[in-house]
Amino acid sequence: AGTGTFELMLYDAKRRSIGIAFEFKLAASFDDMDAKIDEALHQIQEMDYTQFFRSRDISNIIRYGVAFCNKRCKMKVIAGE
């Protein structure tokens, strides 16, 4: 966190068929989790984290916004660029 890149990325370096970017946020309460998920997805878009994949000719990109609160986790997925 805090390095200007997403926290986790997965991609098939050999076939270059898919790239997956994860951004994680910590929510202060369960009610705040949806807002944190949207914040994570917005950060992926705003900071252009998917450029890493595009620079490697990976066009099938999936973005995950993930929020944690205590032992709970909630996420939203956006497929495609």
Side-chain angles (χ1 to χ4, degrees):
T3 61
T5 61
F6 39 82
E7 275 85 16
L8 178 65
M9 69 173 174
L10 303 170
Y11 70 103
D12 183 339
K14 188 173 183 179
R15 289 186 279 173
R16 297 184 175 174
S17 58
I18 190 168
I20 304 171
F22 289 85
E23 180 65 30
F24 303 114
K25 297 292 180 185
L26 182 61
S29 69
F30 298 123
D31 294 335
D32 192 34
M33 291 179 82
D34 287 330
K36 288 295 183 178
I37 290 168
D38 291 339
E39 182 182 324
L41 290 169
H42 178 75
Q43 184 174 334
I44 292 171
Q45 187 71 27
E46 186 71 22
M47 301 298 289
D48 197 23
Y49 293 163
T50 58
Q51 173 58 31
F52 173 87
F53 300 120
R54 291 192 312 274
S55 69
R56 288 158 178 77
D57 295 323
I58 300 170
S59 59
N60 185 11
I61 301 169
I62 300 172
R63 301 178 309 243
Y64 281 84
V66 184
F68 295 94
C69 182
N70 296 327
K71 293 186 178 186
R72 293 196 181 183
C73 172
K74 191 173 183 181
M75 71 178 79
K76 185 189 285 185
V77 181
I78 298 177
E81 190 60 54

